[in-house]
Every structure is written in structure tokens, then in C-alpha cells.
Amino acid sequence: MSWDMSILYHSKKQLCFTFFCLLITLYSNGQYQHLLHKSYAENIHNLQNMYTNLIAIKDTSKINQNINKIKQFAKSNNDKSLELEINLFSIYYTIEYRDKCSSDCVSSLIKIINEANTYQLKPIRIRAIRVLADYYWSKIRNYELAFEQYILLGKEIGTISYTDYPEKHRDLNMIGQSYYVFRDYKQAEYYLNRILELPEDDSNIMFMNAARNTLGLCYQKTR
């Protein structure tokens, strides 16, 4: 091969490699484009799929790679909501699937709760409080701290509409069932009755029925 041909060959090879890298970048960005700049109600199914797809990878190092990609994508597109969403997923995954609970998880969740408040991203704030409450309840069994978060969670839910936050049924049911476990039937009834005031559809009927069943048990205990 002549000198000129060799230069041409390597130039073409470099160009192909650069083009390939560009395609990979565009593909990676395209995977997350549908998550950008949407309200929680608009994005709820996309975010649920994101959680499902990331957890299905199973390899923690690969999951972390994808977390970092999404985080950088969110930052580069100035989407604070998506950035906090992927941060929340990272903590949730660490707690639920890596079983590496520590004070770091708590401080990280509190940071998300505060940032979500600063940026007026109420659904993220509510769900971060939920994760923190569940951490206290299920992982370290500090029920006093759990109920502190449940009380805060109940108040926050009362400040947002069902349209903007379709998971009201789920969170109120979690609070109500927790009070029932501790035989505080009055408080259990309060939270479970709030569920019955909400719209009913296929996405929340399980929580509606759970509320009705537990309310029946409360009435048996108190009437």
C-alpha cells in the first residue's frame, strides 16, 4: 500500500470510528429523550418502565453506568426533575436490592427532599419521603422515625391534587395500614377514608379494596 493510500485508509477508518461513536451517543440520548421536561403525571409510566428496565439489568456496575448516563443527560438538558428522579432511583435501588442501608442513604434522601422542595417538584419530594419512611419501617424497624415520615407524607399528599399525583391511593394506604398494625384504629380510619374520597380506576382499585377491607376490620375493633 502506498503512503498516500495508507493515509487515506487510516483517515477513513478514523472517520468510521468517529461516526460509530456519534451513533452510540445519539442512540443513548434517544433512549431517554421521552423522559425530558414532563410532569410526574405525564411521565409516571415512563419512569416506572425506567425503574423496571434498570433493575432487570441485575449487574450493579452496568446499572450504575446507566444511572450516570441518565444523570448526565438530564443535566445537559437542564431537567432538574429527571436528575432528581434518577438520584432517587439510585438510593431506592441501593436500599432495596443491594441491602446497603446506612446513614448515607438517609442523608441522600433528605437532600433530595429538600432539593425537590426548592425546585417545587412536589411528587419527587413526596416519593422521597415515602422511601425514607419505608426505610425506617422495613429496614431498621425504627417505627417512631417511620411514623414521623408518615405524618409528613400525609400532610404533603393533602397539598397536591390526584391529577398531579396519581399515587395518592398507594401512599395513603401504606400510612393507614401502618397505623392499623399498631392498633391505632382512629388514625388508620382517617387515612383509609381519605382514599375512598379519591377517584377509582383500574390503576388504584387494589388500594381502594385494601382500604375498604381494613376499614371493615377497624369497625369490628371499635364499634
Side-chain angles (χ1 to χ4, degrees):
M1 184 181 295
S2 68
W3 177 256
D4 290 342
M5 290 296 291
S6 177
I7 293 175
L8 182 61
Y9 171 77
H10 287 292
S11 296
K12 287 183 176 179
K13 188 175 181 180
Q14 183 63 41
L15 182 62
C16 287
F17 178 75
T18 303
F19 182 65
F20 175 75
C21 291
L22 178 62
L23 285 177
I24 292 295
T25 302
L26 290 173
Y27 174 71
S28 297
N29 289 346
Q31 289 183 88
Y32 315 125
Q33 193 72 37
H34 63 292
L35 297 169
L36 282 175
H37 302 298
K38 292 180 180 178
S39 69
Y40 182 66
E42 292 172 322
N43 226 6
I44 185 169
H45 296 299
N46 291 331
L47 292 171
Q48 287 171 350
N49 288 336
M50 182 186 78
Y51 270 62
T52 301
N53 292 337
L54 287 171
I55 293 167
I57 294 172
K58 297 187 184 300
D59 185 321
T60 300
S61 63
K62 290 182 179 178
I63 290 173
N64 288 334
Q65 288 174 14
N66 279 273
I67 288 171
N68 290 331
K69 284 180 184 178
I70 298 172
K71 190 180 299 185
Q72 291 304 314
F73 179 69
K75 286 181 177 180
S76 65
N77 285 277
N78 196 30
D79 190 336
K80 191 65 180 181
S81 177
L82 180 56
E83 183 184 342
L84 290 181
E85 285 287 0
I86 195 62
N87 287 343
L88 181 57
F89 168 81
S90 180
I91 301 166
Y92 167 79
Y93 179 78
T94 299
I95 293 172
E96 293 297 325
Y97 293 90
R98 299 187 66 194
D99 202 24
K100 292 190 175 182
C101 310
S102 69
S103 58
D104 290 341
C105 289
V106 173
S107 60
S108 296
L109 283 169
I110 291 172
K111 182 179 178 182
I112 290 176
I113 290 166
N114 291 334
E115 281 194 77
N117 189 55
T118 299
Y119 287 94
Q120 298 183 333
L121 298 169
K122 193 173 288 289
I124 298 175
R125 175 176 166 82
I126 291 172
R127 287 163 46 245
I129 293 170
R130 178 214 293 167
V131 173
L132 183 56
D134 189 57
Y135 167 77
Y136 286 138
W137 181 276
S138 302
K139 296 298 180 180
I140 65 174
R141 299 182 182 180
N142 187 324
Y143 302 115
E144 182 178 354
L145 291 177
F147 277 110
E148 285 181 8
Q149 296 306 312
Y150 286 146
I151 292 168
L152 178 58
L153 182 61
K155 289 179 179 177
E156 291 290 328
I157 290 171
T159 65
I160 191 170
S161 70
Y162 168 70
T163 302
D164 291 331
Y165 187 63
E167 293 192 314
K168 277 191 168 193
H169 303 69
R170 170 182 175 170
D171 292 351
L172 290 170
N173 184 67
M174 180 174 70
I175 301 170
Q177 300 293 343
S178 300
Y179 275 107
Y180 179 80
V181 168
F182 274 81
R183 301 180 183 179
D184 189 338
Y185 303 121
K186 182 177 179 180
Q187 285 298 310
E189 287 179 26
Y190 168 71
Y191 287 103
L192 296 172
N193 274 316
R194 284 173 63 180
I195 297 174
L196 301 186
E197 296 170 359
L198 296 170
E200 182 173 351
D201 57 41
D202 290 342
S203 69
N204 56 51
I205 191 170
M206 177 175 69
F207 302 114
M208 298 289 278
N209 288 337
R212 293 184 183 106
N213 290 337
T214 306
L215 276 170
L217 295 173
C218 288
Y219 294 154
Q220 288 179 8
K221 302 286 186 180
T222 59
R223 269 56 171 187

